[in-house]
Each structure stands twice: as C-alpha cells, then as structure tokens.
Amino acid sequence: MSQQQSAAPATATTTVARRRDWWRDAVIYQVYPRSFADSNGDGMGDLEGVRSRLPYLRDLGVDAVWLSPFYASPQADAGYDVADYRAVDPMFGNLLDADALIRDAHELSLRIIVDLVPNHSSDQHEWFKRALAEGPGSPLRERYHFRPGKGANGELPPNDWESIFGGPAWTRVADGEWYLHLFAPEQPDFNWEHPAVGDEFRSILRFWLDMGVDGFRIDVAHGLVKAEGLPDLGGADQLKLLGNDVMPFFDQDGVHEVYRQWRHVLDEYAGERIFVAEAWTPTVERTANYVRPDELHQAFNFQYLSTDWDAKELRTVIDRTLEAMRPVGAPATWVLSNHDVTRHATRFANPPGLGTQIRTAGDRELGLRRARAATLLMLALPGSAYIYQGEELGLPDVVDLPDEVRQDPAYFRGAGQDGFRDGCRVPIPWTREGSSYGFGGGGSWLPQPAGWGELSIEAQTGVAGSTLELYRTALRVRRTQSDLGAGEAVEWLRAPEGVLAFRRGEFVCVANTSGESVTTPAYGRVLLTSGEVTEAGGEAKLPADTTVWWTTA
C-alpha cells in the first residue's frame, strides 16, 4: 500500500449499464490526463479536472474512458516510468480523487480503463533503488536485467540492442554492471522470468480492480518476455525492423502465459472487466494471439492506424484484421490517433505519411476533410473503436513548439521514435477565450497555438457541420443502428477506383478516398455524411475525401 490515503472499494457495476460483452462494440475515449482539464490552475491536467468533464464525455456518446498513467512517477516519460503502482502522483491528485472519478463515471454509465505499465518501472521504484544499493548478485537485481558487460573490462554493453527512443538499450552503473532499458534509461525493464514480478503485478491488478476500475490498457504488452540468453541482433538495423519482424525482445511466445494468469485474476471480478493490449506485432495474425479466449479481450490495431488514406490499402488491412480475429472470437479494434503518433488530421494532409507537418491553410483543410471521412469509415466497421482526446474537435498536431518546451524523451535522444509526440499532447481547448482556452486557470504545460479557441468545444457545440457535432451524431447513430457495432464481416460492394463501399445488413458505408468527385448508387436514406453529397436519379455524387452512411430500411 502506498503512503497515500486509501479509498473504500467501489463496485464496477454500480450504475454502469449491465450490457453483456459491452467491449465488443465499445467506443473508448483516451484521456491524456495532463492535457485534458486542469482543476487547480497549476498548468497541468489532473484527475479532478477529468472528473469535472465526465458529463461532456457522456454527452459525446462514448462507452468508456481510458486514462493514460497517473501513478506516482518522476515523469521522465510522461508517467510511463512508474515509481509506485498503487499511488497517484501528486501532480494529478490522490487515491481519493481516483476513487471519486471512478464512482462518478459509473454514475454516468461510463466505464474506466486505466493504463498498466508492466514492461518496465521507473529507476526510482523501490525495487530498482534497492537493486542498485545491494550490488551485483543480489536478489533484487534478479528482478531486472542486470548483466556484466563485454570487452576486456566489461566496458561494452551486454548485447547490441537499441533503445526504442534511440541509443543503446543498456546503461552501466557504478559497480560496472549494465541494466536493460528498451526505452529511456530511467525505465529499467523488469525480468518477467522472476516469479516475484508476476506476483507483484497480480497484486497490482487486484488493487485497482478493488478500486472499481473496469479494465486495463497494457503498455508494451508485447515486450515483457525476452528471448532466452538475450541474443544479439547481429548488426541488423533494429529500428527499421521494428513492427516487421519478431524481435528477441518483443512478441515472444512466453508472454502469453503471463496473460493467461492475469485472465484468471480478472475473471474473479464481476462486471465484465477487460484487458486491452498495446501490442506492436509484425502482422494482425500475430496480434490475434493476444486475444485468444483465455487471454486478453482486445488489442490495438496498429496496422490500421499506420495505413494511409487509400482505398486499396484500407480494404486490405480491414479484410486481414477481420479474418485474423474471427478464429479467436475477438472483436476487431480500430484507431486513428493516440498520444504516441501524429494526429490523423495532420497525418492525412499532403504529402501523406507519418510525421507530416502541415504548413498551409490548404493542407489543414485537406487533412481535416480526410480525418472526418476516415472517422466515419472507422466507426462503421465491425468491432470496437478508440478516440483520442481532441480528435473530435479536428485538432491538428502543434508542429511549431519551441525546442525548450518539448518533453518527449525521444526528442532529446535524437533517434528511435520521431521525437515529436509533444505535438499531439498539447492541452485541448474548451472555450474560445480565457486562460489556456478553458483548460485551466494557470496556463498550460505545453503552449497552445493562437486561434486554438476557434477549435474549442464551446466554439463547435451546436454548430451544424462542425467536427464535434459530426462525432456526436455519428456515435448516436452508431448506438441506435442495430447493424453497426459488433460483428465479424462486411459485404463489399462494387465501387469506383479509390472508393470503399460495404454493406452491413440494412446499413451501407461509402468512403471516397480519391482526390476527385465520384458517382455511386444512392443506397437509400442518408444517415450521415462527412461532406456535402448531392443525389439525383438514384445516384449520389460524393466529393473527394468524403464518407457517407446510408440505410436501406
């Protein structure tokens, strides 16, 4: 138990609608707490801020809220370096705030999913500090990956692995040994071969389940188990191989036994609690291994997230995803943005590709038009969908942050991830005017650009055609149309080049990814469209980068 004041256990099903298999078609909203809402005016978002904005999320129409880490942490990697898994970092509040947030969410029929970071801890975790103090050969060092170095005097790292953030994946300590960190040096990897690690995390699961959470998003779910002997990669360009091949430190088969044990813990609790895997694997078929019936419930579909706005490529990944999930009985998941990637309103701008930095009004307009169309396509697909805070406002990445305000550790290491994740983490605007556009009363931890208020919730609420109202309508229609949500397949329809068209019962979705207007059949009554569509003589004219929902009923 942490030093913080504990809270009485909450029941996850207090007033949350008891809908069986709710997670199969859930729309889950990711809250990045430091950038969502600031209740105390210190410039940093917090749990009380999230709690105060829960009615907005209910009215938006989502089913659950996923909270990025709020645990006690030195914040070397925005809270993904956890020092105490049973404490709330004071910058976000305390355990009583977490308890109140969970209870209020349940009263509003929202479920709460919390981040869990089992691949690594902070270097300020009590275990790691004791491991350093006790020296080579101590029992605590066995809970991490400490190794002697290579070379005549152990001056070389134990193997050739690189950090995902760039640079070597090993750091040498004062007594000469090295420890493994696949991410920042402040994030030493746990040794999941040691039974104490598994025991500890099963206890952590129960702690938060007793608090009433409805599930866990598992950070680096593919990374816990390393290949025996920690073999060299042999000079391969590791960073280019990531996501394309099974690596000796990622997606090892042994990780699945960990999740089978975790599933037993979760099944002790009522209320259909769930696990969601952040598992970067080479293929959707490998991802499906994580969601077999006795393991996890969902896994993020990174293959879909990384697909360009292109009909042929999208159809391929949609088909492969549905085919891969069908044998294991798991729902597909669909996601376009999160806290680690360029927002899709920027990513889909010309020229296409991850990391695109839009510079002109034309780029911004194109990116937003494609983002709106992509959202309707995503929400029409069978399964569950994830929304990243601010995408419902059409927020772009903030691409011109000064170097001195950046906090992404990958940026400072100059390699690995693109290092510009701060751009998608700028606090979101709630109002047209005021300090930090309604985020809080004391500015914001990352500077917001001029004009941010014109994209705010206040500015878009009730405005016909706004991106916010598009999301609200889409989620309402998705909930009321029986042919939307859960499912295993789509029926593809003939369509012009650059166009995706599919049927699900009496529902039809047509997405024009091309750069030109196209003519398609008018499939019935228009339910929703991301842009202006004209109909005449049984035909419909779709502008470039537009998605339409029809019902044939």
Side-chain angles (χ1 to χ4, degrees):
M1 189 64 185
S2 75
Q3 74 278 9
Q4 295 194 52
Q5 193 172 4
S6 63
T11 302
T13 54
T14 307
T15 56
V16 169
R18 296 172 183 258
R19 181 162 62 89
R20 182 167 176 78
D21 290 348
W22 64 272
W23 43 275
R24 290 189 173 274
D25 63 357
V27 176
I28 300 173
Y29 186 99
Q30 180 188 359
V31 165
Y32 195 66
R34 61 173 55 208
S35 298
F36 192 65
D38 171 19
S39 71
N40 59 9
D42 65 356
M44 184 68 64
D46 47 46
L47 295 184
E48 182 58 31
V50 177
R51 181 188 175 200
S52 72
R53 299 296 190 176
L54 288 174
Y56 164 76
L57 298 177
R58 174 203 57 195
D59 295 344
L60 182 62
V62 301
D63 300 289
V65 179
W66 153 34
L67 298 170
S68 292
F70 51 80
Y71 309 110
S73 167
Q75 304 295 322
D77 183 23
Y80 283 94
D81 50 318
V82 181
D84 187 344
Y85 290 86
R86 297 177 180 84
V88 174
D89 195 282
M91 73 191 302
F92 297 123
N94 57 42
L95 283 174
L96 291 177
D97 295 321
D99 177 70
L101 190 161
I102 294 165
R103 291 177 183 273
D104 280 10
H106 290 165
E107 290 293 330
L108 295 170
S109 295
L110 293 169
R111 290 176 167 85
I112 294 293
I113 296 169
V114 297
D115 237 307
L116 189 65
V117 189
N119 178 72
H120 48 262
S121 73
S122 165
D123 61 354
Q124 297 305 302
H125 191 285
E126 190 61 30
W127 281 9
F128 192 76
K129 291 194 294 184
R130 287 173 54 194
L132 290 181
E134 293 177 9
S138 67
L140 263 296
R141 289 210 174 183
E142 295 177 5
R143 299 181 186 183
Y144 295 90
H145 293 280
F146 279 88
R147 296 287 188 277
K150 293 181 177 179
N153 300 302
E155 71 278 8
L156 301 177
N159 68 21
D160 62 1
W161 295 358
E162 298 173 52
S163 163
I164 307 306
F165 289 160
W170 295 89
T171 290
R172 197 177 193 187
V173 300
D175 55 45
E177 284 201 327
W178 298 72
Y179 69 87
L180 176 68
H181 53 86
L182 290 180
F183 295 88
E186 296 88 352
Q187 295 169 292
D189 280 46
F190 284 116
N191 175 16
W192 272 87
E193 301 298 328
H194 196 291
V197 177
D199 290 345
E200 172 68 355
F201 273 91
R202 287 190 293 274
S203 174
I204 292 166
L205 290 175
R206 290 190 174 95
F207 177 89
W208 288 103
L209 290 166
D210 288 342
M211 283 277 286
V213 303
D214 300 282
F216 301 88
R217 177 266 190 186
I218 305 167
D219 184 62
V220 196
H222 55 304
L224 277 56
V225 174
K226 278 65 174 176
E228 185 176 359
L230 309 184
D232 281 333
L233 273 164
D237 189 336
Q238 171 184 310
L239 297 177
K240 288 185 178 179
L241 290 175
L242 285 176
N244 300 310
D245 293 279
V246 176
M247 309 293 280
F249 45 78
F250 280 163
D251 197 29
Q252 296 293 303
D253 290 338
V255 77
H256 299 288
E257 179 57 31
V258 173
Y259 299 133
R260 284 189 282 269
Q261 294 177 19
W262 284 18
R263 184 61 178 264
H264 287 307
V265 173
L266 204 69
D267 289 346
E268 296 171 9
Y269 290 80
E272 289 199 291
R273 323 286 181 102
I274 69 166
F275 287 123
V276 182
E278 183 208 28
W280 290 87
T281 65
T283 64
V284 289
E285 290 78 14
R286 293 288 300 184
T287 301
N289 291 335
Y290 290 79
V291 289
R292 289 175 286 201
D294 60 344
E295 294 189 43
L296 310 179
H297 296 78
Q298 293 184 350
F300 289 138
N301 190 343
F302 292 115
Q303 283 77 17
Y304 186 78
L305 183 149
S306 60
T307 301
D308 286 332
W309 180 239
D310 176 88
K312 184 177 180 181
E313 293 181 25
L314 286 164
R315 178 167 174 171
T316 297
V317 74
I318 290 168
D319 282 341
R320 287 192 63 183
T321 298
L322 294 174
E323 290 168 6
M325 296 299 134
R326 195 174 298 119
V328 295
T333 65
W334 314 100
V335 61
L336 292 168
S337 287
N338 65 32
H339 66 292
D340 278 335
V341 301
T342 305
R343 287 186 178 274
H344 61 284
T346 295
R347 200 168 69 243
F348 288 153
N350 271 336
L354 291 173
T356 298
Q357 297 193 13
I358 54 179
R359 295 296 185 187
T360 70
D363 288 343
R364 287 192 292 272
E365 181 182 345
L366 176 63
L368 179 58
R369 188 168 68 246
R370 288 177 170 175
R372 288 162 56 93
T375 294
L376 289 195
L377 172 62
M378 175 184 77
L379 292 174
L381 294 169
S384 179
Y386 281 77
I387 295 172
Y388 177 51
Q389 66 176 47
E391 73 170 73
E392 77 276 19
L393 306 177
L395 295 186
D397 260 39
V398 179
V399 299
D400 53 358
L401 291 169
D403 292 352
E404 59 269 19
V405 306
R406 293 188 179 276
Q407 299 192 26
D408 182 357
Y411 176 79
F412 297 103
R413 302 198 81 184
Q417 297 183 20
D418 65 17
F420 289 93
R421 295 179 299 170
D422 292 317
C424 67
R425 300 175 178 183
V426 173
I428 67 173
W430 292 88
T431 60
R432 277 193 173 95
E433 306 292 340
S435 173
S436 65
Y437 303 106
F439 168 68
S444 62
W445 68 281
L446 283 173
Q448 299 157 302
W452 209 229
E454 293 308 308
L455 298 174
S456 67
I457 287 96
E458 179 185 49
Q460 297 194 43
T461 295
V463 177
S466 71
T467 301
L468 175 58
E469 293 301 338
L470 177 73
Y471 270 74
R472 285 174 170 162
T473 303
L475 294 181
R476 183 174 65 252
V477 172
R478 192 178 191 271
R479 188 183 294 271
T480 56
Q481 288 288 313
S482 60
D483 291 318
L484 288 177
E488 293 184 343
V490 299
E491 176 192 349
W492 293 107
L493 305 174
R494 292 188 64 180
E497 186 175 354
V499 176
L500 289 173
F502 61 84
R503 183 189 304 275
R504 299 182 62 193
E506 296 177 334
F507 172 86
V508 174
C509 176
V510 178
N512 177 14
T513 73
S514 75
E516 300 177 353
S517 295
V518 297
T519 300
T520 73
Y523 287 97
R525 177 171 57 90
V526 172
L527 292 169
L528 188 61
T529 175
S530 68
E532 295 293 332
V533 174
T534 56
E535 297 185 73
E539 293 184 329
K541 185 174 182 180
L542 278 65
D545 305 310
T546 300
T547 297
V548 186
W549 288 1
W550 274 287
T551 179
T552 61

